[in-house]
Amino acid sequence: MKKEILFKNNFIINIIKKDLFNKKYKIIKTRFPPEPNGYLHIGHVKSLYLNFNIAKKYNGIFNLRFDDTNPIYENIKYIKSIIKDIKWLGININNIYYTSSYFNKFYNYAIKLIKKKLAYIDELSKKKIKKYKGTLINFGKNSPYRNRSIKKNLNLLKKMKMGYFSEGSICLRAKINMSSSNIIMRDPILYRIKYIKHHQTIKKWCIYPTYDFSHCISDSLEKISHSLCTLEFIENRILYNWILKKLNIIFIPKQYEFSKLNLTFSILSKKKLKFLINKKIVNGWDDPRIPTLSAYRKRGYNPNSIFSFCKNIGISKKENTININMLESYIRNNLNINALRVMGVLNPLTIIIKNMGKQIEMILMLRNPKNLKMGFRILPFSNKIYIDKYDFREKPNKKYKRLILNKKIRLRNSYIIKAKKIIKNICGIIKKIYCYYYINTLNKNQINYKINNVIHWVSKKHSILITINLYDYLFKVSNPIKYKNLISIINPFSFIIINGYVEPSLFYSKIKNSYQFERIGYFNLNNYNYNYKNNIIFNRIINLKKKKL
Ligand code: ATP
Ligand code: MG
């Protein structure tokens, strides 16, 4: 990441400035605490960006902590992918921690709470616990097991840990207040049984602390100064503070909440993304149609553009949905400067230049007119070229400004041509067009006329056949989060495979990942194998221009 990354001022920065002014903390420490139960998506980057940059701005510490207290959904492959994605973003992590490495500590704290009569073992079923919790209108009801003796509770906790009980039959709850107006404070569960191998602790534990019990203690153990989370935890903050206070923990981090990122045409929920993957609606976590970082990487998005986006969406407490056009404009701006230009024809139509011999002309072109440092490329021009079939019309309307019979048009960076004759096959489909070219017009107009309309082309003989994955929005509606049935709103044209032809400079330029196919869009090399030259696959990163919706 660039050093000079700036921050839009936000309420969290203001709090930190004040805390530093009041010498409340010696060092600013933040953390990013993902559950390793899926891949990171763009929403996570909002949190990562905030936490990382706060630490960076104030010479603090930024930790990655795997919040691994629910082994049912966790997997080592998610841990690996999260680390890989953060590295790809260019974010430096000071320490990598695991909540699971504090399991012993949590257990001792659970004993402490029991001894203070602030926790008890409950034997109500899951269903009953839920029922006894009450509602926003009705108070909860005390569990009949709420007033066991300390000794009995300690004994049961020990047995729970030793595997005497079945999953769901028994749990540890905090003893707070079943009549609290905040439902979260109605005797929340602190420990539950899960007989499942944990990726870090293997089979050492069969009881696992809940988020509420483990998160505040982990933050405190790591001396996190500002514990930043998203708005859904606002009600949990009271519990966060309650636990630390009742355990007489001295270092109490402060929790602050900010709004989650929502993005039009996108689903930012690991659970829903997992559903789409399991149903084979998309091809895994790196399918370029979903907003995970591995998908963005495959598609050809650049971390700097993602950061520019994060910088500008800001941080607030207000829920809102950001238009995906904003993200895309940063992607485009970056590619405009960094992508190599090539010409590519996706719907080939053959043009025969009748007045040109068999010679091959080599034309020098800039690799990127927006970035002269990228140098030049050489393009062969011959009497057989491909243009895009949509750049020719037999029966044009008045607005049509591309190739038509008996009219001149410029071939990009090349000559002016005029179409003279259409050749069709027996079904009436246009096979080729005979044209004439104007010899003195290479990259310049003739004195007496000006041609402004330009189309792109490739020399037929020299072009390279490629496969192109055309990706579009996965959903046909802009607000998929409002829909329960995701399958019903899938865009059937979100992934189309076509073939195309590109100019040969692709081979002799140093292979880069991102290209602009001139007049079409940006494409990312998916695979390239010198041994299989006719198996080159490109992914469409993004269209050249904003999509009209
Ligand atoms: P998901 O809903 O995708 O499962 P999560 O919140 O359960 O997300 P975690 O792994 O718990 O995922 O998230 C790690 C951190 O990222 C948390 O601090 C969480 O608040 C934050 N985060 C998750 N989604 C977003 C989002 N859309 N915008 C901003 N921050 C997010
Ligand atoms: Mg979560």
Side-chain angles (χ1 to χ4, degrees), residues 1 11 26 34 89 94 113 160 170 201 291 312 355 494 527:
M1 188 191 274
F11 75 99
K26 276 201 194 102
L89 286 172
N94 287 99
L113 280 184
M160 226 173 114
I170 194 165
T201 57
N312 285 295
N355 60 336
S494 62
N527 77 335

Side-chain angles (χ1 to χ4, degrees), residues 250-262:
I250 297 164
F251 190 92
I252 300 193
K254 278 204 89 175
Q255 176 182 305
Y256 297 96
E257 308 85 15
F258 61 95
S259 62
K260 272 196 164 178
L261 170 70
N262 295 311

